[in-house]
Amino acid sequence: MQTALIVGAGPVGLTLACELARYGISVRIIDTAAQRTDKSKALIIWSRTLELLDRGGASAPFIDAGFKALAVNMIAGEKAVGHVSLHNIQTPYPFGLMLPQSETERLLDLRLQSFGISIERQVELLSFTNSPHGIEAVLQRADGHQETLSAGWLLGCDGAHSTVRHSLGAPFTGETNKSDWLLADVHMTGYRRPDSEASIHWHRDGVLVIFPICPGRYRVLADLPPAGTERPPTPTLEQVQTILDTRGPGGQNVFDPIWLAGFRINGRKVSEYRWGRVFLLGDAAHIHSPAGGQGMNTGMQDAFNLAWKLALVIRGVCKEELLNSYTPERSGVGDKVLKFTGRITTIGTLRNPIAQKLRNTLAHFLLSKSLVQKRFAENLTELAVAYPCSPLNGSSLSGDSLKPGARVAPVARQAPIGSGSIPRFALFAERTPQVADLLKQFEELLDPNLRPAMSAKALHLVRPDGYLACSASSTTPIGNYLSKLLK
Ligand SMILES: Cc1cc2nc3c(=O)[nH]c(=O)nc-3n(C[C@H](O)[C@H](O)[C@H](O)COP(=O)(O)OP(=O)(O)OC[C@H]3O[C@@H](n4cnc5c(N)ncnc54)[C@H](O)[C@@H]3O)c2cc1C
């Protein structure tokens, strides 16, 4: 079997390794770093990521270790402008799971070890060749020892400064935001909201964001005027206190900082995620504003999207063309995430007093509408991610509100779609002799367990990652769809 070489054991490389391992694919995963990050970096695991983790039966340890955030408040001065609650969204996980990235990586690493795979640490990818037949990768250990590894596929999960992306010469287009930002993970007293709610304060000087990490511990984010230094300066605890006093409601006291950092926002993305036998995922493919905590989640979902396709190709079940859907699907999502996070950042950091006033009035009006609240919550939690223009989309039943490419919400008390050890499509249909024949004919691709029909006489075919592939009123279009995928 062809080996998949994963470069980078951050949250994205680890997610991909776990998915491929559960599908029985031979995996090597390397990382230059001697140990995983000890920083909290990405703090939120959103609902859609939890649903996708659940397919491998992996969400429980994360839920046990994390803290549930249930709502976000927008506040301008003393006035509550909006309150977006997550409890109405249709998912088994109606919350943002607050969990430091160091913990997320620890739990993913533990899961990977349960498949008998260890991260090869202090191993660096130096260079590689990418031919239609395979990859030759030059790896170097900390002692200088070099190895040339032949692999079937190379997965670049090596972060924002990706060696894989640089070696491919893939343009990483976009820009760096001029403002400096302050990040502080601190202990704090006097938080005015329930500990399960985040607060975004729009102040005339800029934005102040307070996220609960767990009771008594918070992440504080704020934009600052550009310092004009080469690197953004590391803030002091006094600076954090001053920002809270100026932009917050007052009465909050910070102490015992856990992590203080300065950063600048880059919005950059590649347009091609697939380069022959090489793929880019996570920060190697896209970086953007941390507003909305989308970065790590988007990267992990790149991994969920690619893993089942690659596993079916490596197992020799599907044609290699299946992999061509990775770029249009995930690059499309990346573009939307860049736009969404950029927009939230721009809105929060408006400086013009007239624009600020207009923003506050408009936001108050819009966020009082339940439909706007729902849309915002679905975007934030990434439940809105869909692939409406995917080349993988097949036929659609006329009048059916569920269109190909849409997420099919998991149903409580049913095994999640794609939960087996081989990636398989799920069929929602009544059992008829024709349906029984279809299951037999495509046993390599179809889950043998039928799901209840979504509507009378309708058949819905759902991908292993829980998005609708096609719908029809007979088995013929479903069979044609599956035949096209088979090798
Ligand atoms: C200060 C800060 C705050 C953040 N806050 C948030 C947040 O609130 N929400 C959010 O969603 N995101 C946040 N992020 C971003 C989030 O951390 C990233 O999106 C996430 O880490 C991306 O994961 P990744 O696996 O793609 O890359 P990384 O986590 O960067 O992992 C890449 C790995 O590749 C390894 N590597 C690199 N080159 C090589 C090579 N040549 N050979 C072998 N190994 C290599 C590195 O050692 C590293 O371990 C934050 C980031 C920072 C820095």
Side-chain angles (χ1 to χ4, degrees), residues 8 11-12 31-32 41-42 101 125 158 163 219 259 283 293 295-296:
V12 176
D31 200 296
T32 338
K41 296 203 271 185
Q101 186 171 324
L125 172 81
D158 49 346
T163 303
R219 167 162 298 177
W259 186 34
D283 277 17
M296 183 184 75

Side-chain angles (χ1 to χ4, degrees), residues 46 177 181 265-268 287-295 298 333-349 379-380 382:
W46 285 117
N177 191 308
W181 286 76
I265 293 175
N266 276 283
R268 292 181 191 280
I287 51 170
H288 37 77
S289 161
Q294 305 285 293
T298 304
V333 169
D335 285 332
K336 283 192 183 139
V337 170
L338 251 87
K339 225 183 251 173
F340 177 62
T341 55
R343 210 174 280 156
I344 310 181
T345 310
T346 307
I347 290 170
T349 55
N379 275 305
L380 211 53
E382 302 199 356

Side-chain angles (χ1 to χ4, degrees), residues 260-298:
L260 298 171
F263 67 95
R264 287 191 185 124
I265 293 175
N266 276 283
R268 292 181 191 280
K269 192 181 144 286
V270 295
S271 52
E272 274 303 321
Y273 284 31
R274 179 183 182 191
W275 297 66
R277 288 181 165 261
V278 182
F279 294 83
L280 295 169
L281 300 90
D283 277 17
H286 46 78
I287 51 170
H288 37 77
S289 161
Q294 305 285 293
M296 183 184 75
N297 287 270
T298 304

